[in-house]
Amino acid sequence: AQSVAQPEDQVNVAEGNPLTVKCTYSVSGNPYLFWYVQYPNRGLQFLLKYITGDNLVKGSYGFEAEFNKSQTSFHLKKPSALVSDSALYFCAVRDDPYGTDKLIFGTGTRLQVFP
Amino acid sequence: DTEVTQTPKHLVMGMTNKKSLKCEQHMGHRAMYWYKQKAKKPPELMFVYSYEKLSINESVPSRFSPECPNSSLLNLHLHALQPEDSALYLCASSREPFSGRARETQYFGPGTRLLVL
């Protein structure tokens, strides 16, 4: 079965500094990986996805993610953090048990950006 | 436009009540999903509809009854819920349900926060 792991419950970073939110995956076959962000009392917003192609994927709000096959990682990055980036971030992998998309989410990482 | 709308935003119900959650999208998406999210936990899939037909039921108790009246609308009927069913219920949709030839993104609505007393 497909799975993703987010090893950090919380990441703290100062505004203006680069941020990284970690995700590792375990899949059979080609990995289809996603990052979503959830603000308090809100639904999930899609940030970016990796399907095939370039290992560096650019997404919304200045976020990007680097797919690393040898390390089975898909870390989310941003060169300069904003206080407004503070939220809960979920990495997800697409499973395909019955020919229909199923997203498996990691446990989430809370990002706190301090002014 | 990648908007999925959900109503109501908040719902409080007793264990003997019957209520419904509504989800709507006008993006022409043919797959729709219900997820349940407990506090500080990731979303967990409940149901998947593909072309208005139920394709996945993740062993959800029968007190949750999904319905897809048309390609734009998804309902979740609730009856005789338990307090442990209190959670954020998220709806999502994607353009194409068959992942073999498509790598579609699921777009989520804002959710309905349900409290069962």
Side-chain angles (χ1 to χ4, degrees):
Chain A
Q2 325 286 54
S3 66
V4 289
Q6 294 181 245
E8 302 157 316
D9 289 337
Q10 180 153 333
V11 170
N12 298 317
V13 64
E15 188 174 32
N17 283 1
L19 70 87
T20 299
V21 183
K22 295 180 180 178
C23 174
T24 58
Y25 64 89
S26 174
V27 302
S28 55
N30 295 321
Y32 301 137
L33 299 161
F34 300 79
W35 275 103
Y36 286 85
V37 59
Q38 187 173 33
Y39 296 97
N41 300 313
R42 301 285 297 275
L44 276 71
Q45 295 181 28
F46 169 71
L47 283 178
L48 50 82
K49 66 181 178 183
Y50 173 82
I51 304 300
T52 59
D54 290 340
N55 290 340
L56 186 64
V57 179
K58 294 191 182 296
S60 306
Y61 315 119
F63 284 93
E64 57 189 27
E66 186 173 7
F67 174 73
N68 188 316
K69 188 173 182 178
S70 62
Q71 297 184 7
T72 62
S73 66
F74 188 56
H75 300 333
L76 181 70
K77 299 182 179 185
K78 188 174 183 181
S80 179
L82 300 172
V83 173
S84 57
D85 292 330
S86 299
L88 186 59
Y89 290 80
F90 289 103
C91 180
V93 64
R94 197 189 71 197
D95 201 357
D96 182 16
Y98 317 112
T100 303
D101 281 345
K102 177 179 177 180
L103 278 179
I104 307 297
F105 288 89
T107 50
T109 297
R110 185 163 300 282
L111 174 66
Q112 190 71 48
V113 181
F114 294 95
Chain B
D1 182 13
T2 56
E3 188 177 24
V4 177
T5 59
Q6 290 187 244
T7 55
K9 290 184 179 180
H10 302 274
L11 179 62
V12 180
M13 60 186 292
M15 290 188 284
T16 58
N17 291 158
K18 287 184 180 181
K19 297 287 184 181
S20 296
L21 310 184
K22 179 179 174 181
C23 173
E24 203 161 3
Q25 56 86 15
H26 296 287
M27 298 177 279
H29 288 181
R30 304 312 301 271
M32 297 185 77
Y33 312 78
W34 280 115
Y35 286 84
K36 175 181 178 180
Q37 186 180 21
K38 301 284 278 184
K40 301 183 181 180
K41 296 290 186 182
E44 295 180 344
L45 183 67
M46 300 174 72
F47 303 103
V48 180
Y49 272 83
S50 301
Y51 294 98
E52 296 109 71
K53 294 188 188 308
L54 183 65
S55 59
I56 294 180
N57 177 340
E58 291 286 291
S59 302
V60 179
S62 60
R63 58 185 183 268
F64 295 91
S65 176
E67 178 197 21
C68 191
N70 58 58
S71 60
S72 299
L73 190 58
L74 184 66
N75 298 320
L76 186 62
H77 302 299
L78 314 172
H79 174 54
L81 295 193
Q82 303 297 310
E84 59 264 30
D85 296 322
S86 299
L88 181 67
Y89 288 84
L90 295 164
C91 174
S93 71
S94 63
R95 185 173 62 178
E96 175 65 47
F98 297 112
S99 56
R101 50 190 161 93
R103 284 89 176 196
E104 300 298 337
T105 298
Q106 290 185 24
Y107 295 95
F108 285 78
T112 293
R113 189 162 296 281
L114 174 67
L115 177 62
V116 182
L117 300 177

